[in-house]
């Protein structure tokens, strides 16, 4: 379980992706825009300290633009400075309450702080704004799974699969939920679907092997474990 939680807490690559809601940046005064664009150029180079300085200079010139605080929050998040990122995402939302990416990232920061109650609240607000925000269903489901709230986790997984029926991440998590509920037959089916959709994930094969072993399907269990070893001989992998 701890490995799954660590994976959940990882800052995902989407932190480095500019939101469509950054459109407010085009309205920046020219001097502020120059600093803002410099910050955006520095971030992908891993130069976040310099990017932070550039964004702060932009904010001094144009303090009313949410795109500046959103990107500044992202820069701090990439540095794992979540205490600094949180108020910046909140400032973004004060200026633009409909900024979905800022609210979603804010929820991720609360997860990093193990503040699951607040994270759930923010994620639910994302879904109120955008019921089709697929990744939020997955993130919320992981939180409820971690809290052993399995029926709620399954409900969220089902809603996510309605939107993206071929996403192996949902089936992988569904398998984990069924394992905790000791429903190994259903877990095995979920894991099997996950490996059909993504045949490169060693830990899913390992989980499938364990479920098949619980069912007494030894030959199938051995085959799944051999596949997991072939994909990852050192056995170093996260749970999802």
């Amino acid at each position: 379980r701890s490995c799954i939680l660590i994976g959940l807490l990882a800052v995902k690559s989407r932190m480095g992706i500019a939101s469509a809601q950054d459109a407010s940046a085009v309205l920046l005064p020219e001097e502020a825009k120059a600093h803002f664009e410099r910050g955006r150029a520095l971030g992908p180079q891993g130069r976040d300290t310099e990017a932070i300085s550039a964004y702060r200079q932009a904010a001094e010139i144009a303090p009313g633009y949410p795109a500046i605080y959103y990107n500044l929050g992202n820069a701090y998040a990439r540095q794992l400075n979540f205490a600094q990122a949180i108020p910046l995402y909140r400032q973004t939302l004060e200026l633009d309450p409909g900024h979905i990416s800022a609210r979603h990232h804010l929820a991720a920061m609360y997860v990093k702080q193990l503040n699951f109650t607040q994270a759930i609240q923010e994620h639910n607000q994302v879904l109120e704004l955008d019921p089709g925000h697929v990744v939020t269903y997955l993130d919320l489901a992981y939180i409820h799974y971690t809290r052993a709230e399995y029926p709620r986790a399954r409900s969220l997984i089902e809603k996510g699969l309605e939107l993206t029926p071929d996403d192996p991440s949902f089936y992988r998590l569904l398998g984990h939920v069924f394992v905790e509920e000791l429903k190994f037959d259903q877990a095995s089916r979920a894991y099997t679907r996950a490996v059909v959709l993504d045949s490169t994930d060693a830990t899913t094969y390992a989980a499938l092997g364990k479920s098949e072993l619980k069912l007494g399907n030894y030959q199938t269990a051995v085959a799944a474990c051999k596949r997991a070893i072939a994909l990852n001989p050192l056995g170093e992998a996260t749970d999802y």
Side-chain angles (χ1 to χ4, degrees):
R1 175 73 59 81
S2 61
C3 291
I4 294 170
L5 182 55
I6 290 169
L8 172 62
L9 299 183
V11 179
K12 300 177 183 178
S13 60
R14 60 179 177 265
M15 285 291 184
I17 300 174
S19 165
Q21 292 165 310
D22 282 356
S24 63
V26 301
L27 303 175
L28 284 169
E30 285 304 315
E31 187 180 355
K33 188 173 182 179
H35 290 300
F36 178 82
E37 293 299 339
R38 185 162 64 88
R40 285 171 60 118
L42 289 166
Q45 300 175 38
R47 299 163 63 183
D48 285 308
T49 299
E50 295 170 79
I52 287 168
S53 176
Y55 290 134
R56 289 209 174 276
Q57 290 179 70
E60 288 179 8
I61 299 167
Y65 289 81
I68 297 174
Y69 301 104
Y70 171 67
N71 282 274
L72 186 53
N74 287 350
Y76 277 115
R78 288 192 295 269
Q79 291 187 327
L80 308 184
N81 190 339
F82 311 117
Q84 286 280 5
I86 285 173
L88 288 162
Y89 289 136
R90 286 206 165 278
Q91 194 164 0
T92 304
L93 291 167
E94 287 177 9
L95 294 167
D96 180 5
H99 199 302
I100 292 172
S101 294
R103 194 169 295 283
H104 187 256
H105 290 175
L106 177 60
M109 297 301 97
Y110 284 128
V111 171
K112 292 294 291 185
Q113 295 185 331
L114 305 183
N115 185 349
F116 297 121
T117 300
Q118 192 66 41
I120 289 171
Q121 180 178 323
E122 297 298 337
H123 277 314
N124 282 331
Q125 289 189 54
V126 169
L127 293 179
E128 287 180 14
L129 291 167
D130 180 8
H133 202 263
V134 174
V135 70
T136 296
Y137 288 104
L138 185 62
D139 289 348
L140 258 178
Y142 267 112
I143 293 173
H144 286 289
Y145 164 76
T146 301
R147 288 159 57 106
E149 297 166 352
Y150 304 126
R152 178 58 178 155
R154 278 190 281 104
S155 174
L156 288 160
I157 292 168
E158 290 168 4
K159 289 178 181 177
L161 285 172
E162 289 176 7
L163 296 170
T164 176
D166 293 329
D167 188 334
S169 298
F170 283 101
Y171 289 102
R172 195 173 297 129
L173 179 55
L174 184 59
H176 294 334
V177 172
F178 282 136
V179 165
E180 295 298 328
E181 295 179 315
L182 305 181
K183 300 175 181 178
F184 299 110
D185 185 51
Q186 289 166 280
S188 184
R189 289 199 294 271
Y191 289 136
T192 297
R193 180 60 179 160
V195 298
V196 167
L197 294 168
D198 177 10
S199 62
T200 65
D201 189 86
T203 55
T204 307
Y205 278 103
L208 174 59
K210 291 176 184 178
S211 291
E212 290 294 323
L213 185 62
K214 289 287 188 179
L215 294 168
N217 299 329
Y218 302 117
Q219 190 171 359
T220 307
V222 168
C225 290
K226 284 183 175 179
R227 179 60 178 160
I229 293 169
L231 287 168
N232 189 5
L234 298 179
E236 298 175 357
T238 58
D239 278 359
Y240 74 101

